[in-house]
């Protein structure tokens, strides 16, 4: 195998490797006929990422003939080859990747300015094939946007945040942090609403919510933002993985993240709750928080929190369609997090505790909507072969 | 008490007087060799030499020529003493890091002789501070007997390229191997780490190579930990000379360019 990357593409390759390092500790390398694929998976197999560089990405691309070759190596060693991204652009003219199967070595040679030659001989291990099973074209919901949009959204969540829930309706997407049921009253809930016109492409066939790990996604966001490629997002029902991808004429990157799946029991409980009357005001710190929230304003007005009396949850909605998740949103914001809710029900005392919180109801208004993330997490990005 | 009147009166009793308009110049140099607490100062009419040693394997010397100083008076052929380098640096930076351009700390360093403390007069913006640092019996610095006649290979490189290489060196490697040869590879730095080995090759006709004089092929391995202190000096310098002698001893000399002069380091 002998691949040569020149000019600006060296930096793109380096960035892809850095973003893969956010997923797992090992880099799976497989030179194929349709390009060089670099993959990574996390230890719990709930996140998988793959970058495929077409032969045109390289100025020379030769793969081992006759047999398929694949290997894995510690991603940190490969990162060390491309350590300083800033200087890569300025000094590296060419990067040569050569495989020496006899010595089990993959050699990265960087030809830099002033004749400096950096040679890294990295050892690798043979590996099993790593391939997640997914068909993004069959997914119900497809979105595409400039990476800036997602980066700006994600910046509002703390770096330590593990999971985020994305819910969609025909016209909107809500992104909020996922908090376990028992922690509802102690946590700060953050929710952002994005309108469909902010996206380059917004196609929703099923209104639902998916919850996935944000941390692993950040790697892709950094890559996409620096290359300026639009990010496409595909998802289906909860439980089915969410796929985010960037595509270009010479490369394709896919990040497949598992989502939390439905628990039918939980759904039943929630729907029952949705029909109970709002509890007394001083009860809002206990488990009936959700019911309390339902009693608050649920208007669909596009601006900051709408004024006016709260409407009963499942009754009329200002939106002509019936996106279930939206009906119970207690705060609908424009893309920036806004100030407190000023639509407290007049029959209730001022809501001091929640002045500065932004929260959305986590209760589906109707039983048939499967929107509830639960504690079980099912791993869905799987490889086609068993682990060695 | 203005510094000038003081100097006229006391100059006779000082065996060494050195003045700098900008103490930063001295403190930067000294920071680069501060890998141990104590430094041996030896002053000759040529200038000031500061030596720091580590476990008898590594010696760093900073030479500051007399011409660099605005005033350099020495009454004996050789004046030697030892001080705590960390304390000295703290005193030199006593006015804090100056962020205002044009404002610098002026230094007047005076030494009365054996048994007397090293006196520093530091002035910035009209405020004068006097520091007296106790001196110690200077230890005899090791003489590695590295002399120019025994040098087998010598290479002078522009620091810029080495800086990048050193910042990327694989720290999991215990040794740094330096190969110098009249034939391919002309000058190579190699590391052997957990994930594999890495080589940095500098061709002899590179723009970065100012001088290339290698008589025979030599490959030597040096402990990475001993080379680490040199990275600070590398960061300050504009040129580096790498020399090895017949015993494989490595001498790195860093040329630090001052605003108006040059200070040599090794």
């Amino acid at each position: 195998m002998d691949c040569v990357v020149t000019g600006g593409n060296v930096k793109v390759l380096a960035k892809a490797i850095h973003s893969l390092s956010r997923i797992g500790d090992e880099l799976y390398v497989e030179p194929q006929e349709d390009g060089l694929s670099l993959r990574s998976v996390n230890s719990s197999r709930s996140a998988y990422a793959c970058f495929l560089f077409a032969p045109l990405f390289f100025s020379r691309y030769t793969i081992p003939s006759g047999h398929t070759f694949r290997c894995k190596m510690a991603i940190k060693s490969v990162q060390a080859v491309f350590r300083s991204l800033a200087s890569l652009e300025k000094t590296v003219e060419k990067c040569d990747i050569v495989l020496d199967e006899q010595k089990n070595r993959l050699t990265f040679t960087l030809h830099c300015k002033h004749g400096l030659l950096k040679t890294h001989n990295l050892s690798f291990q043979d590996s099993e094939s790593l391939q997640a099973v997914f068909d993004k074209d069959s997914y119900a919901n497809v979105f595409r946007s400039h990476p800036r949009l997602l980066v700006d959204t994600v910046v509002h969540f703390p770096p330590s945040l593990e999971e985020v829930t994305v819910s969609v309706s025909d016209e909107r997407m809500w992104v909020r942090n996922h908090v376990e049921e028992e922690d509802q009253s102690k946590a700060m809930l953050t929710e952002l609403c994005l309108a469909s016109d902010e996206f380059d492409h917004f196609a929703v066939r099923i209104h639902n919510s998916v919850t996935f790990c944000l941390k692993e996604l950040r790697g892709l966001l950094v890559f996409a933002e620096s290359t300026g490629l639009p990010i496409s997002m595909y998802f289906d029902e909860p439980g089915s993985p969410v796929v985010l991808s960037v595509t270009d004429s010479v490369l394709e990157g896919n990040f497949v993240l598992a989502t939390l799946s439905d628990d039918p029991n939980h759904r039943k409980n929630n729907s029952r709750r949705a029909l109970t009357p709002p509890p007394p005001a001083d009860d809002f710190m206990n488990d009936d928080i959700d019911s309390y929230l339902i009693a608050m304003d649920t208007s669909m007005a596009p601006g900051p929190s709408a004024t006016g009396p709260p409407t009963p949850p499942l009754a009329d909605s200002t939106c002509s369609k019936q996106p279930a998740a939206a009906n119970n949103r207690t705060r609908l914001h424009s893309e920036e997090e806004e100030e407190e809710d000023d639509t407290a029900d007049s029959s209730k005392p001022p809501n001091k505790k929640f002045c500065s919180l932004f929260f959305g109801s986590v209760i589906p208004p109707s039983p048939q909507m499967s929107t509830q993330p639960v504690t079980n997490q099912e791993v869905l990005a799987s490889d086609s072969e068993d682990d060695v | 008490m203005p510094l000038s009147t003081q100097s006229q009166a006391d100059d006779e009793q000082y065996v060494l007087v050195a003045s700098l308009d900008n103490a930063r110049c001295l403190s930067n140099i000294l920071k680069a060799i501060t890998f141990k607490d104590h430094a041996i100062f030896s002053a000759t009419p040529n200038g000031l030499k500061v030596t720091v040693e580590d476990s008898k394997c590594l010696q760093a010397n900073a030479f500051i020529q007399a011409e660099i100083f605005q005033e350099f008076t020495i009454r004996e052929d050789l004046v030697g003493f030892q001080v705590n380098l960390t304390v000295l640096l703290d005193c030199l930076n006593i006015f804090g890091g100056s962020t205002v351009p044009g404002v610098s700390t002026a230094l007047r360093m005076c030494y009365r002789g054996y048994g007397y403390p090293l006196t520093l007069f530091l002035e910035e913006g009209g405020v004068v501070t006097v520091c007296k640092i106790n001196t110690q019996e200077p230890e005899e610095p090791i003489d590695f007997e590295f002399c120019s006649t025994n040098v087998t290979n010598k290479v002078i490189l522009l620091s810029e390229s080495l800086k990048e290489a050193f910042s990327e060196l694989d720290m999991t490697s215990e040794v740094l191997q330096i190969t110098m040869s009249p034939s391919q590879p002309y000058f190579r730095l190699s590391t052997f780490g957990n994930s594999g080995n890495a080589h940095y090759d500098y061709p002899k006709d590179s723009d970065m190579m100012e001088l290339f004089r290698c008589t025979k092929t030599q490959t030597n391995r040096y402990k990475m930990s001993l080379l680490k202190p040199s990275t600070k000096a590398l960061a300050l310098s504009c040129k580096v000379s790498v020399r090895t002698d017949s015993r494989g001893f490595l001498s790195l000399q860093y040329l630090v360019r001052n605003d108006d002069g040059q200070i040599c380091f090794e």
Side-chain angles (χ1 to χ4, degrees):
Chain A
M1 166 181 143
D2 186 358
C3 310
V4 177
V5 187
T6 50
N9 282 353
V10 179
K11 193 169 178 192
V12 174
L13 179 67
K15 287 209 180 112
I17 291 172
H18 283 292
S19 69
L20 286 173
S21 71
R22 307 283 279 259
I23 299 274
D25 292 330
E26 286 179 323
L27 181 71
Y28 290 75
V29 178
E30 187 171 344
Q32 296 159 211
E33 284 216 11
D34 55 349
L36 178 69
S37 92
L38 300 176
R39 302 186 180 113
S40 186
V41 71
N42 71 352
S43 49
S44 53
R45 303 257 157 177
S46 61
Y48 160 93
C50 170
F51 278 94
L52 182 69
F53 295 94
L56 282 178
F57 179 81
F58 304 90
S59 53
R60 178 166 76 229
Y61 185 72
T62 350
I63 59 172
S65 56
H67 62 284
T68 45
F69 166 78
R70 57 178 97 96
C71 69
K72 66 179 178 186
M73 54 183 74
I75 207 166
K76 279 199 165 27
S77 343
V78 191
Q79 271 185 294
V81 179
F82 301 104
R83 186 165 302 176
S84 154
L85 286 175
S87 71
L88 269 180
E89 205 169 19
K90 283 183 277 184
T91 56
V92 178
E93 290 161 2
K94 194 166 74 149
C95 172
D96 205 345
I97 307 174
V98 176
L99 168 68
D100 185 342
E101 278 183 276
Q102 273 83 37
K103 294 195 205 159
N104 264 15
R105 274 200 325 208
L106 194 62
T107 303
F108 287 80
T109 309
L110 297 171
H111 298 254
C112 308
K113 272 194 333 202
H114 309 293
L116 172 57
L117 205 70
K118 296 183 196 174
T119 314
H120 294 257
N121 296 310
L122 305 177
S123 50
F124 58 77
Q125 295 168 289
D126 289 324
S127 82
E128 71 280 11
S129 164
L130 180 73
Q131 177 71 55
V133 177
F134 61 96
D135 179 13
K136 58 192 188 195
D137 296 320
S138 72
Y139 284 178
N141 300 329
V142 180
F143 312 94
R144 191 172 64 245
S145 75
H146 190 270
R148 189 78 249 170
L149 177 69
L150 291 182
V151 169
D152 284 347
T153 306
V154 155
V155 82
H156 292 103
F157 297 100
S160 56
L161 175 66
E162 288 281 323
E163 283 151 357
V164 76
T165 303
V166 172
S167 317
V168 287
S169 71
D170 282 340
E171 294 289 319
R172 286 183 162 74
M173 174 189 284
W174 288 267
V175 183
R176 73 168 184 277
N177 60 329
H178 172 65
V179 175
E180 293 299 326
E181 285 297 320
E182 28 317 337
D183 298 330
Q184 286 286 337
S185 52
K186 298 179 211 135
M188 178 171 84
L189 302 175
T190 305
E191 179 183 271
L192 282 99
C193 175
L194 302 168
S196 61
D197 54 10
E198 301 202 53
F199 292 82
D200 297 339
H201 178 75
F202 192 95
V204 173
R205 279 192 277 145
I206 305 179
H207 302 153
N208 53 22
S209 295
V210 287
T211 301
F212 54 89
C213 189
L214 182 61
K215 207 163 45 119
E216 280 137 2
L217 173 59
R218 290 184 197 260
L220 175 67
L221 292 181
V222 171
F223 177 82
E225 205 193 1
S226 63
T227 51
L229 292 172
I231 299 181
S232 303
M233 185 161 145
Y234 306 79
F235 65 88
D236 219 24
E237 332 160 303
S240 189
V242 57
V243 180
L244 292 112
S245 69
V246 285
T247 331
D248 179 297
S249 53
V250 291
L251 75 87
E252 184 185 333
N254 286 309
F255 274 56
V256 182
L257 306 172
T259 61
L260 294 187
S261 73
D262 260 353
D263 179 6
N265 291 334
H266 188 97
R267 207 188 316 143
K268 201 158 53 136
N269 282 341
N270 284 334
S271 58
R272 201 168 53 232
R273 259 204 224 147
L275 302 168
T276 56
D282 56 25
D283 239 0
F284 58 65
M285 285 310 285
N286 66 15
D287 285 346
D288 286 327
I289 169 92
D290 296 321
S291 325
Y292 177 70
L293 295 180
I294 294 167
M296 309 283 282
D297 176 50
T298 58
S299 158
M300 282 280 291
S305 327
T307 53
T311 53
L314 297 172
D316 60 281
S317 155
T318 53
C319 181
S320 54
K321 310 176 192 95
Q322 290 286 318
N327 272 344
N328 274 343
R329 292 284 164 249
T330 60
R331 300 288 169 272
L332 299 173
H333 313 285
S334 51
E335 54 279 17
E336 292 307 307
E337 291 175 348
E338 287 300 345
E339 67 292 334
E340 53 171 305
D341 162 42
D342 52 358
T343 65
D345 188 351
S346 52
S347 68
K348 298 195 170 34
N351 189 5
K352 291 190 193 64
K353 291 271 178 186
F354 293 97
C355 288
S356 55
L357 288 185
F358 297 95
F359 43 86
S361 163
V362 293
I363 299 166
S366 61
Q368 66 264 31
M369 290 312 303
S370 53
T371 57
Q372 283 320 294
V374 293
T375 48
N376 303 328
Q377 178 162 344
E378 217 170 89
V379 172
L380 293 151
S382 60
D383 49 358
S384 50
E385 290 175 4
D386 289 337
D387 283 352
V388 187
Chain B
M1 166 170 46
L3 287 179
S4 49
T5 49
Q6 159 116 53
S7 67
Q8 279 150 21
D10 299 332
D11 249 4
E12 287 82 43
Q13 50 184 310
Y14 289 124
V15 92
L16 167 69
V17 175
S19 299
L20 270 176
D21 280 346
N22 190 351
R24 180 69 49 89
C25 162
L26 180 64
S27 62
N28 278 346
I29 303 285
L30 294 180
K31 251 192 281 199
I33 57 170
T34 313
F35 51 88
K36 280 279 162 184
D37 277 339
H38 290 87
I40 305 159
F41 277 66
S42 38
T44 64
N46 289 332
L48 182 65
K49 176 166 121 170
V50 184
T51 308
V52 179
E53 272 181 2
D54 182 5
S55 22
K56 309 276 179 209
C57 314
L58 166 68
Q59 185 186 83
N61 295 301
F63 291 104
I64 307 158
Q65 295 130 305
E67 292 77 38
I68 302 284
F69 294 92
Q70 272 71 49
E71 181 198 347
F72 193 84
T73 320
I74 185 166
R75 288 180 193 281
E76 286 169 22
D77 282 338
L78 174 68
V79 174
F81 53 87
Q82 184 168 301
V83 287
N84 184 319
L85 199 51
T86 327
V87 170
L88 175 62
L89 271 174
D90 283 344
C91 294
L92 289 176
N93 289 314
I94 208 159
F95 287 101
S98 169
T99 48
V100 179
V103 175
S104 59
T105 313
L107 164 73
R108 190 156 188 272
M109 187 161 65
C110 309
Y111 182 60
R112 228 181 252 200
Y114 183 78
Y116 289 92
L118 178 68
T119 311
L120 303 173
F121 296 92
L122 292 132
E123 184 264 335
E124 183 179 303
V127 178
V128 179
T129 306
V130 183
C131 306
K132 291 200 167 124
I133 308 173
N134 283 338
T135 57
Q136 291 147 353
E137 189 82 40
E139 282 167 14
E140 198 55 49
I142 308 171
D143 182 5
F144 289 113
E145 287 170 10
F146 190 97
C147 58
S148 324
T149 46
N150 271 344
V151 168
T152 47
N153 292 328
K154 177 172 172 167
V155 150
I156 298 186
L157 284 163
L158 293 183
S159 301
E160 228 179 277
S161 53
L162 262 192
K163 273 181 215 178
E164 200 195 309
F166 267 75
S167 66
E168 291 181 5
L169 283 182
D170 183 4
M171 286 300 154
T172 62
S173 168
E174 274 189 23
V175 294
L176 176 68
Q177 177 172 288
I178 302 183
T179 305
M180 304 221 275
S181 162
S183 57
Q184 281 273 6
Y186 300 104
F187 180 76
R188 172 182 277 193
L189 301 172
S190 311
T191 53
F192 306 90
N194 292 341
S195 44
N197 50 46
H199 305 289
Y200 290 79
D201 294 342
Y202 293 81
K204 69 173 179 184
D205 49 2
S206 160
D207 302 347
M208 291 279 147
M209 190 76 75
E210 217 179 71
L211 178 93
F212 186 86
R213 211 188 304 147
C214 289
T215 57
K216 66 178 220 203
T217 307
Q218 264 191 327
T219 303
N220 295 301
R221 290 185 175 201
Y222 304 96
K223 271 191 83 160
M224 195 69 101
S225 51
L226 290 179
L227 284 164
K228 275 195 80 179
S230 67
T231 46
K232 274 196 243 175
L234 181 62
L236 280 178
S237 65
C238 57
K239 273 194 242 185
V240 187
S241 102
V242 182
R243 302 178 301 169
T244 49
D245 71 3
S246 46
R247 301 165 298 172
F249 243 92
L250 177 69
S251 160
L252 299 163
Q253 290 175 308
Y254 301 91
L255 185 70
V256 178
R257 223 176 269 282
N258 203 11
D259 292 330
D260 37 286
Q262 296 173 9
I263 298 163
C264 187
F265 225 149
E266 78 176 3

